[in-house]
């Protein structure tokens, strides 16, 4: 692409003939590779690593488009820009996919294969099917440094995980203990909060009674949606101020069916207005009950086995499935006269997003990280301003979690992932090690033989929290780590502010202790992008079937249209409602740019022109370009992506196409003098060059293709310098004169439209000027305004009166009159306007009647009511215009 193509631009823009070719050229030229030794200031973005099993969805498309806009802008602005890509091994998701495939294709389960053979199958799957999403990111135009692509199970990444674990172990921040965790009974592993989906379901609330010991006929009633868990109850809690139960606090109840004696305890967390005001406490199977049990020293009884069947503590129900046990427990309670009323309710059920099995809170031996000591520096990073959230309101979510932090369960009962680097001797004494400890070798502390390694793997986030620096070579002090860390920008979703963002900040501070404290925060800005919703405001999901496939949209509209539409529709801090036809907006803009550039390139005819044109339109468009460069640059520096996209749209479509190109046509044709043509070409080529470069971060494919045809353009636009506003001086005089001329032209065009003046008809325009400046400007710009508004003759004066049958328009400093006699049939136009007046009056009356109906206003959806109000306002505005036109014709 170093020399302009010999073939002209196609008449219409066809993304499918451009995008693949352009991206291949970028990769061949190695344009995205960052050089740590270049001497340029660094600007680094670490991609939030998608799951290796993942495919591109609209959330990815928006998030990665925004990251690409940032990195392309900074690359052009002179930074050594690194956008490092990669994928996450996604332990539970990947293992579930492979297990399913193995069973469907070979009827083989993982336990049949054994750990090592199963892991070979997973690696084989990853090699053949993984990383599809990285190819999809290329389709989107993402300018990542693919030479640095990382996978969280790469050997160097795995070593970083082991080093981090051992360092935390040595500081006493890692421990093993029994705690309540989210348990997936199908996959038989603990799962993290982000692997749970809450689904509304119809259910029942069962009431039953617990006898008070020593008081025949006296009971305490409780309610639950999970009756089988009563077998694990170790207490009943009431509010200390609830008069109904004050006398029972400290009493003993007898748990039906199993005969366990349990106390009544007073706890302020109980809502005395809910249910009976008495809450069964099951510390082994409910997070809130676990906390209550800790406060009151209640025993933790676990009634479930890892596979979800009932265990030994369930007594006669041992071995039953959960549904079977529920049915039998209710039957037995009823037989004893202890079952009360049953309510139909809708409640949220926690499901594993992989197995779709209901999550069971379960007490289990797991590995944990002590988070309290790590949270303080992460809190200070935000409060000191070293870490900034955009939009700022997300800082509160971050701080709220850190200030109420709990220890992190980092172990998973899986085979795919980073195996916990802990080995045990024959007595079960653990030892953590970065290097592999061979079975049979001496334990580093006891000297006894090592007999096994811990079976569990680490939570996926236990590798992801190291992502900003492990990808750069940590724990080694590499050149990349020294130059590209800390990073400057992280773009991510609100859902993982605490699961990932906060943990990365903690890890950076804790593990990069060779750096000054101010340089340990892994990113200076955390941008939380909008959530993409469907057209009626619902989150896109597989279960609803309302997702839009970004690749299908790229195939239909082109990557640039998809990118631009997503950005222009998304205001910072607001979610975006998206339907497929919204991508037509970006497609229209791409076509407009293509057509305008094609016209401009045809008129440049291989020349960049010469001289500094002093025509008003040249001075004005150069001034407008200066303002556009300043505003778009500021928007991108401040991560106001929508604002930048909107300003580019306004400038290119309105200023450049609608006004400058229309005016400049007369100076680009063969009838213009050579000097005038050269001056127009010089301005046109400069403004088009700057415009393409400003548009490039948003529309990389289109602008690269047009850049290759632009006379005087060198190399790739991807690495071209960002325009400098100082090269386009702001011209206050040109702005003022052009605005006054444009206002007059717009007023005349408005008259022509409202009065149905035929497009081909030329008109006279009279100006009654109250302002000498207005009269001067319109006199000096008649050569421009006359063809743009099809004006045959201008007349101006201070004392001009309005002619009969003429339309008028008030502008700054004067009034314009357009005589219509002989241009239109005045009587026919009056009748048309009177008919339109009657139609609009009827619409106004009908809409006002609908909006005065309280039943409609209260029952209709708010957006429907708002549309009716907008229609009423529009009808009234149209009627005002019609009545004004009628008055003009009198």
């Amino acid at each position: 692409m170093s020399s302009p193509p010999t073939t002209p631009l196609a008449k219409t823009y066809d993304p499918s003939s451009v995008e693949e070719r352009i991206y291949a050229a970028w990769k061949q030229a190695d344009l995205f590779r960052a050089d740590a030794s270049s001497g340029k200031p660094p600007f680094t973005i670490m991609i939030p690593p998608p799951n290796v099993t993942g495919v591109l969805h609209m959330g990815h498309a928006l998030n990665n488009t925004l990251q690409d806009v940032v990195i392309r802008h900074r690359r052009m602005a002179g930074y050594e820009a690194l956008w490092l890509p990669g994928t996450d091994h996604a332990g539970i998701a990947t293992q579930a996919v492979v297990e399913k495939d193995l069973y469907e294709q070979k009827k083989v389960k993982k336990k049949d294969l054994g750990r090592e053979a199963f892991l070979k199958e997973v690696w084989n799957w990853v090699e053949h099917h993984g990383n599809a999403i990285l190819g999809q990111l290329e389709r989107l135009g993402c300018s990542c440094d693919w030479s640095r692509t990382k996978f969280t199970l790469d050997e160097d990444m795995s070593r970083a995980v082991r080093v981090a674990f051992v360092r935390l172990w040595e500081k006493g921040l890692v421990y093993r203990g029994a705690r309540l965790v989210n348990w997936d009974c199908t996959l038989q592993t603990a799962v993290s909060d982000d692997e749970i989906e809450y689904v509304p379901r119809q259910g029942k609330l069962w009431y039953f009674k617990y006898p008070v010991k020593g008081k025949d006929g006296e009971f305490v009633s409780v309610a639950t949606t999970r009756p089988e868990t009563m077998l694990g109850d170790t207490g009943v809690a009431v509010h200390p101020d609830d008069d109904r139960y004050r006398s029972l606090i400290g009493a003993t109840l007898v748990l039906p069916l199993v005969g366990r004696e349990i106390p009544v305890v007073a706890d302020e967390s109980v809502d005395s207005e809910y249910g009976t005001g008495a809450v069964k406490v099951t510390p082994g199977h409910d997070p809130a009950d676990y906390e209550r049990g800790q406060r009151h020293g209640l025993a933790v009884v676990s009634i479930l086995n890892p596979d979800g069947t009932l265990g030994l503590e369930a007594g006669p129900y041992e071995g039953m499935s959960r549904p079977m046990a529920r049915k039998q427990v209710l039957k037995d309670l009823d037989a004893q006269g202890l079952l009360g009323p049953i309510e139909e309710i809708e409640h949220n059920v926690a499901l594993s997003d992989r197995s779709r099995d209901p999550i069971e809170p379960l007490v289990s031996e797991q590995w944990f990280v002590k988070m309290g000591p790590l949270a303080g520096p992460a809190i200070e990073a935000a409060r000191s301003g070293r870490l900034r959230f955009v939009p700022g309101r997300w800082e509160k979510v971050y701080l709220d979690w850190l200030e109420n932090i709990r220890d992190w369960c980092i172990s998973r009962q899986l085979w795919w992932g980073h195996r916990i680097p802990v080995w045990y001797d024959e007595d079960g004494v653990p030892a953590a090690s970065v290097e592999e400890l061979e079975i049979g070798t001496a334990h580093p502390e006891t000297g006894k033989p090592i007999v096994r390694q811990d079976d569990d793997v680490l939570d996926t986030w236990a590798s992801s929290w190291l992502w900003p620096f492990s990808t750069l070579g940590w724990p080694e002090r590499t050149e990349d780590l020294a130059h590209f860390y800390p990073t400057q920008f992280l773009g991510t979703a609100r859902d993982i502010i605490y699961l990932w963002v906060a943990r990365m900040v903690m890890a950076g501070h804790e593990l990069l202790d060779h750096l000054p404290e101010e340089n340990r925060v892994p990113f200076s800005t955390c941008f939380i992008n909008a959530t993409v919703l469907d057209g009626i405001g619902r989150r896109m999901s597989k279960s609803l079937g309302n997702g839009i496939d970004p690749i299908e949209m790229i195939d239909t509209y082109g990557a640039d249209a998809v990118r631009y539409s997503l950005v222009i529709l998304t205001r910072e801090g607001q979610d975006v409602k998206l339907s497929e036809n919204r991508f037509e907006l970006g497609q229209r803009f791409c076509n407009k740019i293509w057509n305008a550039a094609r016209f401009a390139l045809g008129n440049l005819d291989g020349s960049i022109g010469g001289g500094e044109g002093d025509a008003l339109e040249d001075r004005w468009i150069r001034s407008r370009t200066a303002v556009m460069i300043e505003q778009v640059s500021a928007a991108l520096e401040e991560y106001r992506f929508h604002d930048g996209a909107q300003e580019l749209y306004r400038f290119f479509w309105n200023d450049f196409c609608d006004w400058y190109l229309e005016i400049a046509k007369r100076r680009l044709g063969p009838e213009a003098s050579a000097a005038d043509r050269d001056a127009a070409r010089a301005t046109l080529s400069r403004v088009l060059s700057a415009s393409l470069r400003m548009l490039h971060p948003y529309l990389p494919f289109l602008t690269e293709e047009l850049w290759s045809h632009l006379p005087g353009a060198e190399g790739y636009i991807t690495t071209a310098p960002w325009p400098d506003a100082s090269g386009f001086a702001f011209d206050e005089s040109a702005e003022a004169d052009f605005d006054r001329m444009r206002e007059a032209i717009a007023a005349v065009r408005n008259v022509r439209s409202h009065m149905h003046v035929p497009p081909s008809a030329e008109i006279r325009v009279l100006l009654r000027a109250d302002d000498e400046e207005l009269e001067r400007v319109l006199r000096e710009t008649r050569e421009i305004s006359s063809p743009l508004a099809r004006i045959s003759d201008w007349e101006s004066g201070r004392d001009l009166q309005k002619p009969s049958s003429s339309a008028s328009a008030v502008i700054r400093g004067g009034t314009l009159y357009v005589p219509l006699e002989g241009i239109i049939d005045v009587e026919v136009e009056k009748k048309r306007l009177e008919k339109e007046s009657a139609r609009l009056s009827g619409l106004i009356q009908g809409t006002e009647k609908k909006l005065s109906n309280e039943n409609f206003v209260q029952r209709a959806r708010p957006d429907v009511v708002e549309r009716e109000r907008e229609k009423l306002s529009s009808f009234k505005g149209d009627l005002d215009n019609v009545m004004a036109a009628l008055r003009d014709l009198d």
Side-chain angles (χ1 to χ4, degrees):
M1 291 194 178
S2 56
S3 58
T6 55
T7 55
L9 284 177
K11 186 174 181 181
T12 57
Y13 179 51
D14 177 14
S16 65
S17 69
V18 170
E19 293 173 359
E20 186 176 355
R21 170 172 52 81
I22 292 286
Y23 205 93
W26 286 336
K27 291 186 77 172
Q28 184 176 1
D30 211 13
L31 299 183
F32 309 147
R33 185 189 293 269
D35 180 3
S37 61
S38 70
K40 296 179 183 178
F43 193 96
T44 313
I45 301 176
M46 297 296 179
I47 199 169
N51 288 356
V52 71
T53 58
V55 293
L56 199 70
H57 58 61
M58 272 302 165
H60 290 135
L62 173 61
N63 176 257
N64 286 283
T65 292
L66 297 180
Q67 291 178 76
D68 196 45
V69 168
V70 173
I71 209 69
R72 286 182 181 274
H73 167 233
R74 296 309 200 280
R75 186 182 291 121
M76 296 174 76
Y79 290 88
E80 193 58 44
L82 168 62
W83 185 14
L84 193 147
T87 51
D88 192 290
H89 66 278
I92 192 168
T94 307
Q95 179 161 319
V97 167
V98 177
E99 283 192 68
K100 182 181 178 183
D101 282 0
L102 278 173
Y103 191 75
E104 288 179 352
Q105 295 171 18
K106 302 179 181 179
K107 301 302 179 188
V108 172
K109 295 184 177 181
K110 68 171 186 176
K111 290 181 180 178
D112 300 330
L113 291 174
R115 187 169 195 143
E116 296 307 316
F118 176 75
L119 289 177
K120 285 182 181 178
E121 293 285 350
V122 183
W123 277 110
N124 184 60
W125 188 96
V126 169
E127 184 179 341
H128 288 89
H129 304 288
N131 295 329
I133 194 169
L134 298 184
Q136 293 176 323
L137 291 176
E138 291 189 6
R139 289 288 311 276
L140 190 63
C142 295
S143 59
C144 303
D145 183 347
W146 300 110
S147 71
R148 285 180 165 88
T149 302
K150 304 301 291 186
F151 178 48
T152 51
L153 277 177
D154 287 343
E155 180 49 44
D156 57 339
M157 301 286 283
S158 294
R159 179 176 176 79
V161 170
R162 295 194 300 271
V163 169
F165 184 95
V166 171
R167 286 185 58 174
L168 294 173
W169 166 282
E170 289 172 345
K171 293 184 71 172
L173 295 175
V174 171
Y175 67 94
R176 186 169 174 81
R179 293 289 179 88
L180 197 68
V181 297
N182 302 314
W183 189 261
D184 183 323
C185 297
T186 298
L187 299 175
Q188 294 191 40
T189 181
V191 297
S192 59
D193 291 340
D194 71 303
E195 294 162 333
I196 295 173
E197 181 181 351
Y198 290 90
V199 178
R201 285 190 175 174
Q202 292 298 317
K204 290 181 171 64
L205 185 66
W206 285 274
Y207 289 80
F208 40 82
K209 300 181 291 184
Y210 291 172
V212 180
K213 183 181 178 182
K215 295 185 179 181
D216 289 344
E218 191 169 344
F219 302 90
V220 173
S221 291
V222 296
T224 182
T225 59
R226 299 190 299 158
E228 69 280 7
T229 64
M230 60 84 61
L231 300 170
D233 287 1
T234 58
V236 168
V238 297
H239 195 279
D241 297 331
D242 192 332
D243 290 336
R244 293 172 296 176
Y245 301 109
R246 195 185 299 273
S247 64
L248 285 172
I249 295 172
T252 299
L253 309 179
V254 178
L255 188 66
L257 309 184
V258 292
R260 184 182 307 125
E261 294 186 356
I262 61 176
V264 177
V265 298
D267 195 286
E268 291 186 348
S269 69
V270 175
D271 180 0
S272 56
E273 300 298 321
Y274 180 77
T276 66
V279 177
K280 59 190 289 295
V281 181
T282 321
H285 297 286
D286 183 278
D289 289 353
Y290 184 83
E291 295 296 327
R292 291 186 183 113
Q294 292 289 299
R295 286 195 291 273
H296 298 285
L298 301 180
V300 177
V301 173
S302 182
I303 64 166
L304 292 178
N305 295 317
D307 65 357
T309 60
L310 272 70
L312 182 64
E313 293 285 358
Y317 307 93
E318 182 182 2
M320 292 184 182
S321 67
R322 286 167 289 170
M324 184 185 298
R326 176 174 300 182
K327 184 177 180 180
Q328 190 62 46
V329 163
L330 291 170
K331 182 179 179 181
D332 292 347
L333 286 170
D334 192 29
Q336 294 184 20
L338 298 175
L339 186 62
I342 303 170
E343 292 180 12
E344 296 288 336
I345 62 168
E346 182 179 281
H347 62 137
N348 286 330
V349 176
L351 301 181
S352 167
D353 65 0
R354 297 300 166 189
S355 70
R356 310 308 294 171
D357 193 36
I359 288 294
E360 290 289 350
L362 192 70
V363 173
S364 175
E365 281 280 335
Q366 301 288 341
W367 287 95
F368 295 87
V369 173
K370 293 179 182 177
M371 301 299 275
L374 304 180
I379 292 171
E380 179 57 25
R383 288 185 172 159
S384 67
R386 295 198 303 276
L387 170 61
R388 181 173 69 104
F389 282 85
V390 179
R393 70 175 184 274
W394 294 110
E395 181 182 309
K396 185 177 186 302
V397 174
Y398 170 89
L399 289 174
D400 283 351
W401 183 73
L402 285 169
E403 288 167 354
N404 297 279
I405 200 162
R406 298 182 182 185
D407 288 353
W408 173 20
C409 174
I410 58 169
S411 49
R412 297 291 180 268
Q413 288 64 53
L414 303 171
W415 287 352
W416 173 250
H418 297 279
R419 194 164 177 180
I420 289 176
V422 171
W423 286 261
Y424 301 89
D425 68 10
E426 57 193 19
D427 296 326
V429 177
S433 173
V434 173
E435 307 303 332
E436 183 98 6
L437 298 183
E438 295 290 336
I439 303 301
T441 59
H443 189 287
E445 295 176 17
T446 68
K448 294 182 179 181
I450 294 289
V451 295
R452 67 181 181 89
Q453 184 179 355
D454 198 284
D455 285 329
D456 290 351
V457 299
L458 290 167
D459 179 11
T460 293
W461 298 108
S463 53
S464 299
W465 77 324
L466 311 178
W467 185 255
F469 47 90
S470 61
T471 50
L472 297 173
W474 184 90
E476 307 305 321
R477 297 188 185 182
T478 63
E479 185 180 21
D480 273 4
L481 184 64
H483 192 67
F484 291 115
Y485 188 92
T487 74
Q488 284 68 47
F489 179 87
L490 174 72
T492 190
R494 69 188 66 168
D495 302 346
I496 53 177
I497 289 174
Y498 57 88
L499 291 166
W500 189 46
V501 175
R503 287 172 178 166
M504 284 190 288
V505 179
M506 288 187 273
H509 189 276
E510 176 64 26
L511 298 172
L512 275 77
D513 51 4
H514 68 284
L515 294 177
E517 189 155 331
E518 62 272 15
N519 289 342
R520 295 190 206 173
V521 179
F523 29 82
S524 51
T525 297
C526 178
F527 182 90
I528 304 299
N529 57 257
T531 298
V532 182
L533 310 173
D534 69 9
I536 59 174
R538 301 174 303 175
R539 289 190 74 133
M540 293 184 178
S541 70
K542 290 180 182 178
S543 58
L544 290 175
N546 61 343
I548 300 174
D549 184 347
I551 299 301
E552 288 182 8
M553 296 302 99
I554 289 172
D555 290 339
T556 304
Y557 298 100
D560 287 340
V562 169
R563 291 166 61 108
Y564 186 80
S565 299
L566 285 171
V567 177
I568 196 70
L569 292 170
T570 308
R571 292 182 178 273
E572 277 65 60
Q574 298 179 20
D575 292 341
V576 57
K577 293 181 182 178
L578 190 67
S579 53
E580 291 188 13
N581 62 2
R582 302 298 293 274
F583 294 106
E584 293 172 6
L585 185 155
Q587 185 184 49
R588 287 194 297 270
F589 189 40
C590 289
N591 290 338
K592 183 74 171 181
I593 295 168
W594 183 268
N595 293 335
R598 186 169 175 270
F599 169 82
L601 293 169
N603 281 280
L604 288 174
D605 196 24
S607 168
I608 61 171
E612 183 85 351
D614 61 358
L616 174 61
E617 63 267 26
D618 287 348
R619 291 167 51 215
W620 175 78
I621 195 63
R622 290 198 298 267
S623 182
R624 289 280 81 212
T625 304
V627 172
M628 179 270 290
I629 291 173
E630 185 176 335
Q631 291 185 352
V632 174
S633 296
L636 291 179
E637 289 286 345
E638 297 163 12
Y639 307 120
R640 293 182 287 108
F641 302 104
H642 165 87
D643 293 350
Q646 191 171 54
E647 174 58 19
L648 283 166
Y649 187 99
R650 189 209 60 74
F651 169 82
F652 197 90
W653 198 298
N654 297 338
D655 293 347
F656 185 65
C657 293
D658 289 353
W659 290 99
Y660 181 72
L661 287 184
E662 288 300 316
I663 295 169
K665 284 177 181 177
R666 63 191 173 87
R667 297 167 55 223
L668 293 167
E671 68 280 1
S673 69
D676 205 16
R677 188 161 53 248
D678 266 1
R681 282 176 169 173
T683 299
L684 180 58
S685 64
R686 285 184 63 203
V687 172
L688 183 58
S689 171
S691 298
L692 292 178
R693 284 179 283 157
M694 298 299 291
L695 286 161
H696 176 72
Y698 293 94
L699 307 168
F701 292 109
L702 174 68
T703 52
E704 191 72 82
E705 178 71 358
L706 294 174
W707 183 260
S708 70
H709 289 78
L710 185 67
E714 297 181 354
Y716 292 85
I717 196 171
T718 299
T719 51
W722 189 250
D724 184 348
S726 64
F728 295 89
F730 179 74
D731 189 327
E732 187 175 2
S733 172
E735 294 263 2
D737 286 359
F738 198 94
D739 282 352
R740 303 202 80 167
M741 176 197 71
R742 183 164 57 175
E743 184 184 359
I745 292 172
V748 173
R749 286 174 169 175
N750 197 40
V751 166
R752 295 182 69 108
S753 173
H754 283 168
M755 292 303 186
H756 284 220
V757 174
S760 60
E762 294 194 330
I763 57 175
R764 290 176 58 235
V765 175
L766 286 67
L767 168 67
R768 188 180 71 197
D770 304 323
D771 183 338
E772 290 182 3
E773 275 297 293
L774 175 63
E775 194 169 11
R776 175 191 66 78
V777 169
L778 296 186
R779 182 175 63 250
E780 292 176 357
T781 59
R782 284 181 184 180
E783 283 190 18
I784 298 174
S785 59
S786 293
L788 290 180
R790 294 197 64 80
I791 299 170
S792 60
D793 183 43
W794 276 94
E795 183 180 344
S796 62
R798 293 294 183 92
D799 302 318
L800 282 176
Q801 298 299 310
K802 177 186 175 185
S804 62
S805 298
S806 65
S808 62
V810 177
I811 59 176
R812 282 180 300 151
T815 305
L816 296 172
Y817 301 117
V818 179
L820 297 171
E821 196 70 53
I823 303 294
I824 62 171
D825 187 320
V826 174
E827 292 305 316
V828 169
E829 181 62 13
K830 279 185 178 180
K831 288 180 181 178
R832 186 192 72 80
L833 290 170
E834 287 167 352
K835 186 176 179 181
E836 179 66 2
S837 171
R839 184 185 76 86
L840 289 168
S841 296
L843 289 171
I844 290 169
Q845 185 177 6
T847 309
E848 285 180 334
K849 184 178 180 181
K850 183 182 285 188
L851 288 171
S852 66
N853 184 339
E854 286 299 322
N855 199 32
F856 167 74
V857 173
Q858 290 176 6
R859 293 192 176 186
R861 291 202 321 263
D863 60 312
V864 172
V865 176
E866 185 58 30
R867 277 200 300 272
E868 290 298 317
R869 289 181 175 136
E870 289 171 357
K871 282 163 57 177
L872 179 60
S873 177
S874 177
F875 293 152
K876 287 182 175 180
D878 291 345
L879 182 59
D880 289 343
N881 290 333
V882 167
M883 299 308 294
L886 276 169
R887 288 192 295 272
D888 280 340
L889 293 179
D890 287 340

